[in-house]
Amino acid sequence: MKIVIAAVNSKFVHMSLAPWYLKAACEDLCEIKVLELTINQDKPEILRCIYNEKPDIIAFSCYIFNISHILSVIQDLKKILPKAVIILGGPEVSYNAEDVLLRNSDVDYVVCSEGEERLKQLLTCIIRGESPDGIDGIAYREKGEVKYNPPINYIKDLDTIVSPYTDEMLKAAKNKIAYFESSRGCPFSCAYCLSGSSGGVRRFSLNRVKSDLERLMLSDARQIKFVDRTFNCNPSRAREIIKFILNMSKSGKASQKNYHFEAAADLFDDETIELLSTAPAGLFQLEIGIQSFNEKALAASARKTNLERCKDNIKKLVSCGNMHIHLDLIAGLPYEDFKSFSQSFDKIYELSPHCIQLGFLKLLHGSALRNDASKYGYVFSEQPPYEVLSTPWLSYDDILVLKGVEAAVDVLYNTGRFFHSLTYIISKLESAFNFFLKFSQILQEFYPEGYGIPSRELYKMLLNFAKEFLPSDYNTINELLKFDFFISDSSCNPPKALERHSLPNARELYAAERSKGRVHFERFSVNPLEPSSKVQTDIKFDYTTKNPVTGHYGYTFI
């Protein structure tokens, strides 16, 4: 008997962790093949990949981003492999398993919650031709009826789980983003999230963490993302793992890559921040969920956060200068209206993260907010990802406006290409949110679909914005845009909209320096680092060095 466990990832560069855990847990039963696919592959291609394996059982790992794709594929899979058994698992089917079976006649079983033990028990039953009646966390069909055994137990000792980091898995991780977990669950129970539904945090032993992590660090994966929902909920344990990564990286054993953690800002202590500050630039990146600065919205979402401590710690982390800091906001939380959200955005902006993710509330199956949707008066899409359409505090018109702001933030702020220009422009305006709101209206006028915006066109748009709203600062903004271009783009060919100044000795300077590497010389009518200074400034840009945190090239004032 042959089993295919299929991961349908959001991008080719991503690598799913769940199928490899499941294969490691079950491969003593029969032949198992993991297929890493993507939602960007069309259905015929996915069908071909699975069909060519001639599997007897096909299992899919289901999430909000791939469930529609998977259900569509399954309809045709049953036509070309009518005897194949179809099993679904993952968070997108764990909380509505009976409904999934009722709505999708081609699905035979749903594995709810953790799958390592349950899938093995289910496969054993299928191989023996027995009913899975005695297995908790399984939904199935029997004599034309849908039956459901609710999940009762979680795996208490995570070290009993067979390691997924096999030679086969590590080989597949080459040049990809690989995932790692040192714990399962979350100490919090935020109403929009499912991570705390297992009732607290369970942890792998540090010995197991270091053993698995070392194998992954020695692989050719390009990035390692910890899937722990609150990596630093135990500060001393977090420090132990950070120290291990630092020591491995400094030893030269591990190939060059970076490490991504999801963390709670208010749980950092000074000792952990000090340790992180010693890391080489670009080794670590932190994703921190603030979600809102509206205390009432956070309380209604069961989000426990010390906002003042969050702000203080984020400022400390950003000031270290060696880590990429990513902050999250959620639009659509209870009691947060348009004005309140704009204030939350401005407070996030003031913290100067490298990335601001403006997301929209998703009412996930099994989440408390979905269960309370009618209580709050939520209107949301019934299709994945179940995004909110309107609330008593945000109309659909408001949501559309915020979608435009999200697009403006992504193309301007999150790219890092306009850092100095934006800092100056926003300092001259009422607020950061109002700037992105105004600019989003310009974007929608020229690019109503919200995509396909040429990056070079943005320089012209920002100049036009300056001409309309900040005419007295037009020249300074031109110089800052020019500086931002040269530290972000090694082509040395700036957009024609940017006005340049002649640098008479550029050829001589370049001739003297070109043997040392790729360089460029440019003249500015202001000092880009001190825009109020109108002193003529010549700068050499060095395209052989790049800041791994900001992505900016090196430069020297000459």
mmCIF file of all heavy atoms in Angstrom, residues 403-413 418 435-455 457-459 461-462 465:
data_model
loop_
_atom_site.group_PDB
_atom_site.id
_atom_site.type_symbol
_atom_site.label_atom_id
_atom_site.label_comp_id
_atom_site.label_asym_id
_atom_site.label_seq_id
_atom_site.Cartn_x
_atom_site.Cartn_y
_atom_site.Cartn_z
ATOM 1 N N LYS A 403 -7.975 48.876 2.751
ATOM 2 C CA LYS A 403 -7.283 48.026 1.782
ATOM 3 C C LYS A 403 -6.337 48.873 0.928
ATOM 4 O O LYS A 403 -5.228 48.449 0.593
ATOM 5 C CB LYS A 403 -8.298 47.314 0.885
ATOM 6 C CG LYS A 403 -9.095 46.223 1.564
ATOM 7 C CD LYS A 403 -8.306 44.941 1.665
ATOM 8 C CE LYS A 403 -9.157 43.810 2.206
ATOM 9 N NZ LYS A 403 -8.397 42.551 2.329
ATOM 10 N N GLY A 404 -6.804 50.065 0.579
ATOM 11 C CA GLY A 404 -5.950 50.968 -0.183
ATOM 12 C C GLY A 404 -4.749 51.419 0.617
ATOM 13 O O GLY A 404 -3.627 51.507 0.089
ATOM 14 N N VAL A 405 -4.959 51.717 1.903
ATOM 15 C CA VAL A 405 -3.848 52.096 2.780
ATOM 16 C C VAL A 405 -2.858 50.945 2.883
ATOM 17 O O VAL A 405 -1.632 51.145 2.844
ATOM 18 C CB VAL A 405 -4.374 52.493 4.176
ATOM 19 C CG1 VAL A 405 -3.218 52.713 5.142
ATOM 20 C CG2 VAL A 405 -5.231 53.755 4.084
ATOM 21 N N GLU A 406 -3.375 49.730 3.007
ATOM 22 C CA GLU A 406 -2.502 48.546 3.066
ATOM 23 C C GLU A 406 -1.604 48.474 1.838
ATOM 24 O O GLU A 406 -0.392 48.220 1.946
ATOM 25 C CB GLU A 406 -3.353 47.281 3.160
ATOM 26 C CG GLU A 406 -2.545 45.990 3.139
ATOM 27 C CD GLU A 406 -3.379 44.752 2.876
ATOM 28 O OE1 GLU A 406 -4.462 44.880 2.264
ATOM 29 O OE2 GLU A 406 -2.946 43.649 3.270
ATOM 30 N N ALA A 407 -2.179 48.706 0.658
ATOM 31 C CA ALA A 407 -1.392 48.655 -0.582
ATOM 32 C C ALA A 407 -0.312 49.729 -0.590
ATOM 33 O O ALA A 407 0.834 49.483 -0.996
ATOM 34 C CB ALA A 407 -2.314 48.812 -1.792
ATOM 35 N N ALA A 408 -0.657 50.935 -0.138
ATOM 36 C CA ALA A 408 0.319 52.028 -0.104
ATOM 37 C C ALA A 408 1.453 51.724 0.868
ATOM 38 O O ALA A 408 2.629 51.989 0.582
ATOM 39 C CB ALA A 408 -0.376 53.333 0.282
ATOM 40 N N VAL A 409 1.119 51.169 2.016
ATOM 41 C CA VAL A 409 2.143 50.802 2.998
ATOM 42 C C VAL A 409 3.077 49.739 2.420
ATOM 43 O O VAL A 409 4.304 49.801 2.590
ATOM 44 C CB VAL A 409 1.485 50.303 4.304
ATOM 45 C CG1 VAL A 409 2.533 49.721 5.251
ATOM 46 C CG2 VAL A 409 0.743 51.439 4.998
ATOM 47 N N ASP A 410 2.505 48.767 1.726
ATOM 48 C CA ASP A 410 3.322 47.676 1.166
ATOM 49 C C ASP A 410 4.302 48.174 0.115
ATOM 50 O O ASP A 410 5.472 47.788 0.121
ATOM 51 C CB ASP A 410 2.424 46.585 0.569
ATOM 52 C CG ASP A 410 1.859 45.654 1.621
ATOM 53 O OD1 ASP A 410 2.376 45.644 2.759
ATOM 54 O OD2 ASP A 410 0.888 44.926 1.324
ATOM 55 N N VAL A 411 3.838 49.025 -0.806
ATOM 56 C CA VAL A 411 4.710 49.426 -1.919
ATOM 57 C C VAL A 411 5.687 50.523 -1.526
ATOM 58 O O VAL A 411 6.740 50.672 -2.162
ATOM 59 C CB VAL A 411 3.902 49.859 -3.162
ATOM 60 C CG1 VAL A 411 3.047 48.713 -3.668
ATOM 61 C CG2 VAL A 411 3.059 51.096 -2.886
ATOM 62 N N LEU A 412 5.362 51.287 -0.485
ATOM 63 C CA LEU A 412 6.251 52.378 -0.085
ATOM 64 C C LEU A 412 7.077 52.022 1.152
ATOM 65 O O LEU A 412 8.300 51.988 1.103
ATOM 66 C CB LEU A 412 5.442 53.652 0.183
ATOM 67 C CG LEU A 412 4.799 54.339 -1.018
ATOM 68 C CD1 LEU A 412 4.055 55.588 -0.556
ATOM 69 C CD2 LEU A 412 5.848 54.719 -2.062
ATOM 70 N N TYR A 413 6.395 51.757 2.230
ATOM 71 C CA TYR A 413 7.092 51.577 3.515
ATOM 72 C C TYR A 413 7.787 50.222 3.613
ATOM 73 O O TYR A 413 8.980 50.145 3.949
ATOM 74 C CB TYR A 413 6.098 51.741 4.664
ATOM 75 C CG TYR A 413 6.752 51.755 6.032
ATOM 76 C CD1 TYR A 413 7.207 52.946 6.586
ATOM 77 C CD2 TYR A 413 6.939 50.590 6.756
ATOM 78 C CE1 TYR A 413 7.821 52.968 7.832
ATOM 79 C CE2 TYR A 413 7.551 50.598 8.003
ATOM 80 C CZ TYR A 413 7.986 51.782 8.534
ATOM 81 O OH TYR A 413 8.608 51.802 9.767
ATOM 82 N N PHE A 418 12.140 53.705 0.302
ATOM 83 C CA PHE A 418 11.859 55.140 0.408
ATOM 84 C C PHE A 418 12.008 55.620 1.851
ATOM 85 O O PHE A 418 11.305 56.546 2.272
ATOM 86 C CB PHE A 418 10.436 55.423 -0.104
ATOM 87 C CG PHE A 418 10.191 54.952 -1.509
ATOM 88 C CD1 PHE A 418 9.623 53.712 -1.748
ATOM 89 C CD2 PHE A 418 10.552 55.729 -2.591
ATOM 90 C CE1 PHE A 418 9.406 53.260 -3.035
ATOM 91 C CE2 PHE A 418 10.346 55.295 -3.891
ATOM 92 C CZ PHE A 418 9.772 54.057 -4.115
ATOM 93 N N PHE A 435 -0.927 60.376 5.550
ATOM 94 C CA PHE A 435 -0.109 60.340 4.344
ATOM 95 C C PHE A 435 -0.454 59.127 3.495
ATOM 96 O O PHE A 435 -0.694 59.228 2.280
ATOM 97 C CB PHE A 435 1.385 60.321 4.669
ATOM 98 C CG PHE A 435 2.215 59.883 3.497
ATOM 99 C CD1 PHE A 435 2.411 60.716 2.413
ATOM 100 C CD2 PHE A 435 2.750 58.596 3.445
ATOM 101 C CE1 PHE A 435 3.137 60.294 1.293
ATOM 102 C CE2 PHE A 435 3.486 58.172 2.347
ATOM 103 C CZ PHE A 435 3.673 59.030 1.270
ATOM 104 N N PHE A 436 -0.454 57.931 4.125
ATOM 105 C CA PHE A 436 -0.716 56.717 3.358
ATOM 106 C C PHE A 436 -2.150 56.710 2.825
ATOM 107 O O PHE A 436 -2.407 56.152 1.745
ATOM 108 C CB PHE A 436 -0.437 55.475 4.211
ATOM 109 C CG PHE A 436 1.028 55.237 4.449
ATOM 110 C CD1 PHE A 436 1.585 55.450 5.699
ATOM 111 C CD2 PHE A 436 1.852 54.832 3.416
ATOM 112 C CE1 PHE A 436 2.943 55.261 5.916
ATOM 113 C CE2 PHE A 436 3.208 54.632 3.614
ATOM 114 C CZ PHE A 436 3.762 54.849 4.867
ATOM 115 N N LEU A 437 -3.063 57.337 3.540
ATOM 116 C CA LEU A 437 -4.434 57.463 3.059
ATOM 117 C C LEU A 437 -4.476 58.310 1.786
ATOM 118 O O LEU A 437 -5.100 57.926 0.782
ATOM 119 C CB LEU A 437 -5.307 58.091 4.147
ATOM 120 C CG LEU A 437 -6.770 58.346 3.794
ATOM 121 C CD1 LEU A 437 -7.472 57.045 3.439
ATOM 122 C CD2 LEU A 437 -7.475 59.045 4.954
ATOM 123 N N LYS A 438 -3.799 59.465 1.808
ATOM 124 C CA LYS A 438 -3.776 60.326 0.622
ATOM 125 C C LYS A 438 -3.063 59.648 -0.544
ATOM 126 O O LYS A 438 -3.524 59.715 -1.689
ATOM 127 C CB LYS A 438 -3.075 61.648 0.961
ATOM 128 C CG LYS A 438 -3.875 62.566 1.869
ATOM 129 C CD LYS A 438 -3.093 63.840 2.179
ATOM 130 C CE LYS A 438 -3.886 64.767 3.090
ATOM 131 N NZ LYS A 438 -3.136 65.987 3.451
ATOM 132 N N PHE A 439 -1.955 58.981 -0.242
ATOM 133 C CA PHE A 439 -1.200 58.360 -1.328
ATOM 134 C C PHE A 439 -1.971 57.170 -1.902
ATOM 135 O O PHE A 439 -1.878 56.889 -3.105
ATOM 136 C CB PHE A 439 0.176 57.911 -0.848
ATOM 137 C CG PHE A 439 1.140 57.665 -1.965
ATOM 138 C CD1 PHE A 439 1.852 58.708 -2.521
ATOM 139 C CD2 PHE A 439 1.306 56.405 -2.507
ATOM 140 C CE1 PHE A 439 2.723 58.500 -3.581
ATOM 141 C CE2 PHE A 439 2.165 56.180 -3.562
ATOM 142 C CZ PHE A 439 2.880 57.236 -4.105
ATOM 143 N N SER A 440 -2.736 56.468 -1.063
ATOM 144 C CA SER A 440 -3.515 55.333 -1.570
ATOM 145 C C SER A 440 -4.537 55.798 -2.604
ATOM 146 O O SER A 440 -4.842 55.073 -3.567
ATOM 147 C CB SER A 440 -4.228 54.626 -0.413
ATOM 148 O OG SER A 440 -5.277 55.416 0.127
ATOM 149 N N GLN A 441 -5.052 57.010 -2.431
ATOM 150 C CA GLN A 441 -6.015 57.551 -3.386
ATOM 151 C C GLN A 441 -5.344 57.825 -4.727
ATOM 152 O O GLN A 441 -5.944 57.630 -5.794
ATOM 153 C CB GLN A 441 -6.649 58.820 -2.821
ATOM 154 C CG GLN A 441 -7.495 58.549 -1.577
ATOM 155 C CD GLN A 441 -7.801 59.788 -0.754
ATOM 156 O OE1 GLN A 441 -7.267 60.867 -1.013
ATOM 157 N NE2 GLN A 441 -8.640 59.636 0.260
ATOM 158 N N ILE A 442 -4.069 58.246 -4.676
ATOM 159 C CA ILE A 442 -3.308 58.456 -5.911
ATOM 160 C C ILE A 442 -3.051 57.118 -6.599
ATOM 161 O O ILE A 442 -3.210 56.990 -7.820
ATOM 162 C CB ILE A 442 -1.974 59.174 -5.605
ATOM 163 C CG1 ILE A 442 -2.241 60.566 -5.026
ATOM 164 C CG2 ILE A 442 -1.110 59.258 -6.860
ATOM 165 C CD1 ILE A 442 -0.995 61.266 -4.517
ATOM 166 N N LEU A 443 -2.675 56.116 -5.809
ATOM 167 C CA LEU A 443 -2.420 54.784 -6.374
ATOM 168 C C LEU A 443 -3.661 54.230 -7.050
ATOM 169 O O LEU A 443 -3.591 53.670 -8.155
ATOM 170 C CB LEU A 443 -1.975 53.820 -5.274
ATOM 171 C CG LEU A 443 -0.545 53.944 -4.750
ATOM 172 C CD1 LEU A 443 -0.303 52.915 -3.650
ATOM 173 C CD2 LEU A 443 0.474 53.742 -5.870
ATOM 174 N N GLN A 444 -4.796 54.369 -6.390
ATOM 175 C CA GLN A 444 -6.027 53.800 -6.934
ATOM 176 C C GLN A 444 -6.483 54.516 -8.192
ATOM 177 O O GLN A 444 -7.152 53.928 -9.037
ATOM 178 C CB GLN A 444 -7.109 53.825 -5.862
ATOM 179 C CG GLN A 444 -6.860 52.807 -4.751
ATOM 180 C CD GLN A 444 -7.801 52.961 -3.570
ATOM 181 O OE1 GLN A 444 -8.700 53.797 -3.593
ATOM 182 N NE2 GLN A 444 -7.587 52.171 -2.535
ATOM 183 N N GLU A 445 -6.105 55.773 -8.315
ATOM 184 C CA GLU A 445 -6.457 56.516 -9.526
ATOM 185 C C GLU A 445 -5.727 55.961 -10.740
ATOM 186 O O GLU A 445 -6.301 55.820 -11.826
ATOM 187 C CB GLU A 445 -6.128 58.000 -9.339
ATOM 188 C CG GLU A 445 -6.465 58.844 -10.559
ATOM 189 C CD GLU A 445 -6.100 60.306 -10.361
ATOM 190 O OE1 GLU A 445 -5.737 60.697 -9.214
ATOM 191 O OE2 GLU A 445 -6.155 61.061 -11.349
ATOM 192 N N PHE A 446 -4.452 55.633 -10.562
ATOM 193 C CA PHE A 446 -3.643 55.169 -11.688
ATOM 194 C C PHE A 446 -3.591 53.637 -11.788
ATOM 195 O O PHE A 446 -3.400 53.082 -12.872
ATOM 196 C CB PHE A 446 -2.219 55.721 -11.582
ATOM 197 C CG PHE A 446 -2.143 57.212 -11.786
ATOM 198 C CD1 PHE A 446 -2.133 58.080 -10.707
ATOM 199 C CD2 PHE A 446 -2.111 57.748 -13.063
ATOM 200 C CE1 PHE A 446 -2.075 59.455 -10.891
ATOM 201 C CE2 PHE A 446 -2.058 59.114 -13.267
ATOM 202 C CZ PHE A 446 -2.043 59.976 -12.177
ATOM 203 N N TYR A 447 -3.723 52.961 -10.643
ATOM 204 C CA TYR A 447 -3.660 51.496 -10.619
ATOM 205 C C TYR A 447 -4.846 50.964 -9.803
ATOM 206 O O TYR A 447 -4.690 50.490 -8.686
ATOM 207 C CB TYR A 447 -2.336 51.018 -10.020
ATOM 208 C CG TYR A 447 -1.144 51.453 -10.821
ATOM 209 C CD1 TYR A 447 -0.466 52.636 -10.516
ATOM 210 C CD2 TYR A 447 -0.711 50.713 -11.921
ATOM 211 C CE1 TYR A 447 0.608 53.061 -11.282
ATOM 212 C CE2 TYR A 447 0.367 51.126 -12.687
ATOM 213 C CZ TYR A 447 1.024 52.300 -12.360
ATOM 214 O OH TYR A 447 2.091 52.718 -13.120
ATOM 215 N N PRO A 448 -6.048 51.051 -10.376
ATOM 216 C CA PRO A 448 -7.257 50.687 -9.619
ATOM 217 C C PRO A 448 -7.289 49.227 -9.182
ATOM 218 O O PRO A 448 -7.980 48.886 -8.225
ATOM 219 C CB PRO A 448 -8.394 51.000 -10.600
ATOM 220 C CG PRO A 448 -7.760 51.024 -11.952
ATOM 221 C CD PRO A 448 -6.362 51.523 -11.740
ATOM 222 N N GLU A 449 -6.534 48.362 -9.859
ATOM 223 C CA GLU A 449 -6.523 46.953 -9.470
ATOM 224 C C GLU A 449 -5.642 46.701 -8.262
ATOM 225 O O GLU A 449 -5.692 45.633 -7.653
ATOM 226 C CB GLU A 449 -6.047 46.078 -10.648
ATOM 227 C CG GLU A 449 -6.925 46.186 -11.890
ATOM 228 C CD GLU A 449 -8.354 45.765 -11.619
ATOM 229 O OE1 GLU A 449 -8.552 44.803 -10.864
ATOM 230 O OE2 GLU A 449 -9.265 46.405 -12.161
ATOM 231 N N GLY A 450 -4.789 47.672 -7.920
ATOM 232 C CA GLY A 450 -3.969 47.549 -6.722
ATOM 233 C C GLY A 450 -2.706 46.745 -6.897
ATOM 234 O O GLY A 450 -2.024 46.429 -5.934
ATOM 235 N N TYR A 451 -2.355 46.374 -8.125
ATOM 236 C CA TYR A 451 -1.111 45.627 -8.338
ATOM 237 C C TYR A 451 -0.502 46.044 -9.677
ATOM 238 O O TYR A 451 -1.105 46.798 -10.447
ATOM 239 C CB TYR A 451 -1.369 44.112 -8.317
ATOM 240 C CG TYR A 451 -2.429 43.634 -9.275
ATOM 241 C CD1 TYR A 451 -2.137 43.378 -10.615
ATOM 242 C CD2 TYR A 451 -3.733 43.435 -8.847
ATOM 243 C CE1 TYR A 451 -3.105 42.935 -11.491
ATOM 244 C CE2 TYR A 451 -4.721 42.999 -9.722
ATOM 245 C CZ TYR A 451 -4.398 42.742 -11.042
ATOM 246 O OH TYR A 451 -5.369 42.318 -11.907
ATOM 247 N N GLY A 452 0.681 45.559 -9.945
ATOM 248 C CA GLY A 452 1.358 45.904 -11.191
ATOM 249 C C GLY A 452 1.937 47.301 -11.192
ATOM 250 O O GLY A 452 2.159 47.894 -12.254
ATOM 251 N N ILE A 453 2.211 47.846 -10.000
ATOM 252 C CA ILE A 453 2.738 49.202 -9.902
ATOM 253 C C ILE A 453 4.261 49.167 -10.102
ATOM 254 O O ILE A 453 4.970 48.595 -9.285
ATOM 255 C CB ILE A 453 2.410 49.821 -8.532
ATOM 256 C CG1 ILE A 453 0.902 49.755 -8.265
ATOM 257 C CG2 ILE A 453 2.911 51.251 -8.447
ATOM 258 C CD1 ILE A 453 0.528 50.061 -6.839
ATOM 259 N N PRO A 454 4.784 49.762 -11.166
ATOM 260 C CA PRO A 454 6.243 49.764 -11.365
ATOM 261 C C PRO A 454 6.923 50.560 -10.259
ATOM 262 O O PRO A 454 6.505 51.678 -9.931
ATOM 263 C CB PRO A 454 6.422 50.456 -12.723
ATOM 264 C CG PRO A 454 5.072 50.420 -13.366
ATOM 265 C CD PRO A 454 4.077 50.453 -12.262
ATOM 266 N N SER A 455 7.961 50.005 -9.678
ATOM 267 C CA SER A 455 8.623 50.676 -8.553
ATOM 268 C C SER A 455 9.190 52.028 -8.976
ATOM 269 O O SER A 455 9.173 52.991 -8.199
ATOM 270 C CB SER A 455 9.732 49.796 -7.988
ATOM 271 O OG SER A 455 10.720 49.527 -8.978
ATOM 272 N N GLU A 457 7.926 54.069 -11.050
ATOM 273 C CA GLU A 457 6.843 55.028 -11.181
ATOM 274 C C GLU A 457 6.525 55.690 -9.840
ATOM 275 O O GLU A 457 6.029 56.816 -9.779
ATOM 276 C CB GLU A 457 5.602 54.323 -11.729
ATOM 277 C CG GLU A 457 4.468 55.239 -12.117
ATOM 278 C CD GLU A 457 4.778 56.086 -13.344
ATOM 279 O OE1 GLU A 457 5.731 55.755 -14.094
ATOM 280 O OE2 GLU A 457 4.073 57.094 -13.558
ATOM 281 N N LEU A 458 6.839 54.989 -8.751
ATOM 282 C CA LEU A 458 6.533 55.512 -7.422
ATOM 283 C C LEU A 458 7.339 56.778 -7.110
ATOM 284 O O LEU A 458 6.866 57.656 -6.389
ATOM 285 C CB LEU A 458 6.805 54.446 -6.359
ATOM 286 C CG LEU A 458 5.864 53.233 -6.393
ATOM 287 C CD1 LEU A 458 6.386 52.123 -5.484
ATOM 288 C CD2 LEU A 458 4.454 53.645 -5.973
ATOM 289 N N TYR A 459 8.546 56.865 -7.649
ATOM 290 C CA TYR A 459 9.350 58.076 -7.433
ATOM 291 C C TYR A 459 8.652 59.289 -8.037
ATOM 292 O O TYR A 459 8.581 60.361 -7.422
ATOM 293 C CB TYR A 459 10.740 57.902 -8.053
ATOM 294 C CG TYR A 459 11.589 56.849 -7.366
ATOM 295 C CD1 TYR A 459 11.531 55.525 -7.767
ATOM 296 C CD2 TYR A 459 12.438 57.197 -6.330
ATOM 297 C CE1 TYR A 459 12.301 54.555 -7.150
ATOM 298 C CE2 TYR A 459 13.217 56.238 -5.695
ATOM 299 C CZ TYR A 459 13.141 54.923 -6.105
ATOM 300 O OH TYR A 459 13.900 53.969 -5.473
ATOM 301 N N MET A 461 5.451 59.550 -8.616
ATOM 302 C CA MET A 461 4.229 59.803 -7.842
ATOM 303 C C MET A 461 4.530 60.571 -6.560
ATOM 304 O O MET A 461 3.783 61.466 -6.159
ATOM 305 C CB MET A 461 3.548 58.473 -7.499
ATOM 306 C CG MET A 461 2.905 57.777 -8.675
ATOM 307 S SD MET A 461 2.066 56.269 -8.130
ATOM 308 C CE MET A 461 1.260 55.787 -9.650
ATOM 309 N N LEU A 462 5.635 60.212 -5.904
ATOM 310 C CA LEU A 462 6.007 60.910 -4.675
ATOM 311 C C LEU A 462 6.419 62.349 -4.964
ATOM 312 O O LEU A 462 6.131 63.258 -4.178
ATOM 313 C CB LEU A 462 7.122 60.153 -3.954
ATOM 314 C CG LEU A 462 6.667 58.896 -3.203
ATOM 315 C CD1 LEU A 462 7.864 58.051 -2.796
ATOM 316 C CD2 LEU A 462 5.845 59.265 -1.968
ATOM 317 N N PHE A 465 3.283 64.193 -5.452
ATOM 318 C CA PHE A 465 2.665 64.402 -4.146
ATOM 319 C C PHE A 465 3.308 65.609 -3.464
ATOM 320 O O PHE A 465 2.623 66.465 -2.895
ATOM 321 C CB PHE A 465 2.836 63.146 -3.285
ATOM 322 C CG PHE A 465 2.221 63.250 -1.915
ATOM 323 C CD1 PHE A 465 0.929 62.813 -1.690
ATOM 324 C CD2 PHE A 465 2.934 63.780 -0.843
ATOM 325 C CE1 PHE A 465 0.345 62.906 -0.435
ATOM 326 C CE2 PHE A 465 2.364 63.887 0.416
ATOM 327 C CZ PHE A 465 1.069 63.449 0.627
#
